[in-house]
Amino acid sequence: MADLKLDHIGIAVQSLAEGAAFYEALGLAVGGTEEVSEQRVKVAFLQIGDTRLELLEPTSADSPIAKHLEKRGPGLHHLCVRVDDIEAVMAHLAGAGFRLLSDEPQVGAHGCRVCFVHPKSTGGVLLELSQPAVP
Ligand code: CO
């Protein structure tokens, strides 16, 4: 549990180009885009200091991001904390009674293994745990 980092901040957008326009004007650069089929999103990452912004555009109407846009419009979606051993963190949190959105890690961007923690368990913030893929 020791080495935690803020991996990225997830922001729901209607389109990556539209969503990136402000941040590019601010001076950030889109480092790459990727389709994450398991989550039914296209993502773009913009490096900012030691962390990144992750813009998320839905690729289908049943995407969790499409539902978020419908209910709340574009904006902040989740925080992502990078962990060394996602199974251990998941077991620890589940054992302490916190609600995870999946029983097993799922595949996220860059082949990371990810799991979301329900906002009801975190004080209102959807929180993504992410363990980077072994290079
Ligand atoms: Co994310």
Side-chain angles (χ1 to χ4, degrees):
M1 305 281 289
D3 193 23
L4 303 178
K5 289 194 173 64
L6 179 62
D7 189 83
H8 61 263
I9 298 166
I11 299 170
V13 299
Q14 301 283 2
S15 92
L16 293 182
E18 238 177 76
F22 167 75
Y23 296 104
E24 288 175 326
L26 188 62
L28 304 180
V30 173
T33 64
E34 184 183 340
E35 183 158 345
V36 185
S37 53
E38 190 160 337
Q39 311 284 341
R40 299 180 298 287
V41 291
K42 270 195 307 197
V43 300
F45 284 97
L46 301 95
Q47 190 77 30
I48 176 163
D50 292 334
T51 190
R52 296 173 297 166
L53 305 181
E54 177 190 46
L55 306 181
L56 301 122
E57 173 191 323
T59 54
S60 86
D62 66 346
S63 161
I65 296 300
K67 297 200 170 82
H68 179 94
L69 289 170
E70 234 169 69
K71 268 168 65 182
R72 301 198 179 85
L76 282 179
H77 183 258
H78 65 270
L79 297 185
C80 177
V81 173
R82 193 188 312 163
V83 300
D84 291 336
D85 182 347
I86 194 166
E87 271 99 354
V89 176
M90 287 171 68
H92 174 74
L93 292 175
F98 297 110
R99 186 167 148 207
L100 307 178
L101 295 189
S102 62
D103 294 332
E104 300 287 331
Q106 299 184 306
V107 180
H110 309 309
C112 288
R113 298 164 68 230
V114 306
C115 175
F116 286 89
V117 185
H118 197 284
K120 287 210 165 99
S121 282
T122 64
V125 176
L126 178 63
L127 190 127
E128 178 182 19
L129 304 166
S130 174
Q131 179 181 342
V134 181

